[in-house]
Amino acid sequence: MASPHRIDDRAPVFVISVAAELSGMHPQTLRQYDRLGLVIPQRTRGRGRRYSARDIARLREIQTLSQEQGINLAGIKRILELQDRVGELEGQLESVRETLDTMTPAQRRVFSADRDGEISALRRGERPRRRSTGSALVVWRPTRRG
């Protein structure tokens, strides 16, 4: 059972001085990373930066990549972008798997998935409904008869 007092790791709660201390960096380094787009904190109405626990973890990862692995900031930015993209794709894949788990074996045999990951079961010979904003991929697996 989840605790009702669980803190969201995406909640922007740390001011820049606390985030710098928690990450072991100078506040000016955090400002530079913000300008470069490596870690972009939330902003208050007064434009003050607020960092989340997730941001702090990312700052630590940047520090490890930079100091221990010798990767430059451009390389680190690309690594982080690719990690984010992999995370997005894993989320989409999980959504597809969850949808497939709710389908009967006959429905799973032929289905279409649009670019948003929306899955629709199809009958043999049926084409997916066309949407004005995209296209669909149809996957068919023949069954063995023997």
Side-chain angles (χ1 to χ4, degrees), residues 89-104:
L89 293 172
E90 285 174 342
Q92 287 179 352
L93 182 59
E94 184 59 31
S95 175
V96 168
R97 285 182 176 146
E98 288 172 2
T99 302
L100 287 173
D101 287 344
T102 65
M103 295 175 144
T104 66

Side-chain angles (χ1 to χ4, degrees), residues 11-28 30-31 41 48-53 55-57 59-60 63:
V13 294
F14 303 109
V15 295
I16 192 167
S17 60
V18 174
E21 186 175 331
L22 291 171
S23 63
M25 297 179 182
H26 192 278
Q28 195 60 37
L30 274 61
R31 290 182 188 97
R49 292 171 173 89
R50 293 291 185 271
Y51 291 84
S52 68
D55 293 333
I56 303 298
L59 288 166
R60 289 178 180 158
Q63 189 172 44

Side-chain angles (χ1 to χ4, degrees), residues 14-74:
F14 303 109
V15 295
I16 192 167
S17 60
V18 174
E21 186 175 331
L22 291 171
S23 63
M25 297 179 182
H26 192 278
Q28 195 60 37
T29 303
L30 274 61
R31 290 182 188 97
Q32 179 185 7
Y33 289 174
D34 185 8
R35 283 191 296 276
L36 294 172
L38 292 171
V39 177
I40 302 170
Q42 299 276 335
R43 297 289 184 144
T44 64
R45 288 186 183 183
R47 302 291 298 147
R49 292 171 173 89
R50 293 291 185 271
Y51 291 84
S52 68
R54 184 171 281 196
D55 293 333
I56 303 298
R58 186 166 232 186
L59 288 166
R60 289 178 180 158
E61 181 178 7
I62 290 169
Q63 189 172 44
T64 299
L65 290 170
S66 175
Q67 292 180 357
E68 295 177 17
Q69 304 295 322
I71 300 171
N72 66 23
L73 294 179

Side-chain angles (χ1 to χ4, degrees), residues 76-140:
I76 291 171
K77 185 173 184 176
R78 185 67 179 138
I79 288 168
L80 296 175
E81 288 169 350
L82 291 171
Q83 286 177 341
D84 291 344
R85 184 67 180 135
V86 166
E88 290 171 15
L89 293 172
E90 285 174 342
Q92 287 179 352
L93 182 59
E94 184 59 31
S95 175
V96 168
R97 285 182 176 146
E98 288 172 2
T99 302
L100 287 173
D101 287 344
T102 65
M103 295 175 144
T104 66
Q107 289 174 318
R108 270 185 262 143
R109 218 174 90 214
V110 180
F111 65 91
S112 71
D114 65 19
R115 73 172 69 163
D116 295 326
E118 188 68 32
I119 297 174
S120 304
L122 301 173
R123 292 187 190 103
R124 184 174 291 190
E126 180 183 12
R127 293 203 176 265
R129 290 188 311 271
R130 285 189 162 227
R131 293 186 179 179
S132 59
T133 60
S135 59
L137 168 70
V138 177
V139 179
W140 175 68

